Amino acid sequence: MTVRAQTWYAAGLHFECTGCGNCCAGPEEGYVWICRREIEMLAEYLHLSVDELRRRYLRRHGLRTSIREQPRTKDCLFLVPTETGRGCAIYPVRPNQCRTWPFWSSNLTDPDAWNRAARRCPGINRGRWYSLEEIEALRKQKHWWTEEA
């Protein structure tokens, strides 16, 4: 038996995004890490130069870059009102970090961490079943785009 097969979520986990936007919202300050290729794709999507995108929407933290937050609410700048609640204004080009929620290493350390995340995310522990292999692929995913993108 491999070490991975012995993990607490070896039988898989359930998750179904409800579109609530809680994963994109405060009240705590957070980081939405975005890499160079994602920045380029986001700039193209928003019809901005990379420099203009950086000035308006991004901030540096050491060697990394994060999307800015609303100063008062700590919500992601791209979390916007929709007809049904809140949604992502850049959904087609959202960063890898957003695409892999809730299968982050920090949420998968143990059942307590997973259930703490579930208190903020109504989609955790409901809906689609993800196998260990799918969870691990998402947890380890570094980029979502194809090299042609």
Side-chain angles (χ1 to χ4, degrees), residues 15-30:
F15 172 68
E16 176 181 18
C17 182
T18 64
C20 70
N22 289 353
C23 55
C24 310
E28 296 88 25
E29 182 177 26

Side-chain angles (χ1 to χ4, degrees), residues 32-36 38-40 42-43 46 49-61 64-69 77-78 90 95:
V32 179
W33 303 117
I34 185 167
C35 72
R36 183 177 13 170
E38 290 170 323
I39 291 168
E40 293 166 354
L42 179 55
L46 295 176
S49 70
V50 169
D51 287 343
E52 185 62 22
L53 176 79
R54 285 183 182 281
R55 274 193 298 281
R56 286 190 194 180
Y57 299 109
L58 306 179
R59 60 185 172 153
R60 295 287 295 183
H61 288 277
R64 299 178 79 186
T65 302
S66 177
I67 294 175
R68 291 182 192 273
E69 301 170 325
L77 284 181
F78 295 110
I90 60 166

Side-chain angles (χ1 to χ4, degrees), residues 46-117:
L46 295 176
H47 306 289
L48 296 172
S49 70
V50 169
D51 287 343
E52 185 62 22
L53 176 79
R54 285 183 182 281
R55 274 193 298 281
R56 286 190 194 180
Y57 299 109
L58 306 179
R59 60 185 172 153
R60 295 287 295 183
H61 288 277
L63 299 176
R64 299 178 79 186
T65 302
S66 177
I67 294 175
R68 291 182 192 273
E69 301 170 325
Q70 294 289 347
R72 188 178 58 79
T73 63
K74 303 301 182 201
D75 294 354
C76 174
L77 284 181
F78 295 110
L79 181 63
V80 295
T82 66
E83 291 179 12
T84 58
R86 301 184 290 183
C88 179
I90 60 166
Y91 193 82
V93 295
R94 69 197 185 282
N96 190 65
Q97 179 178 337
C98 305
R99 290 168 186 272
T100 58
W101 171 265
F103 303 110
W104 298 350
S105 293
S106 60
N107 291 337
L108 295 170
T109 56
D110 56 47
D112 290 338
W114 181 254
N115 289 320
R116 275 191 303 277

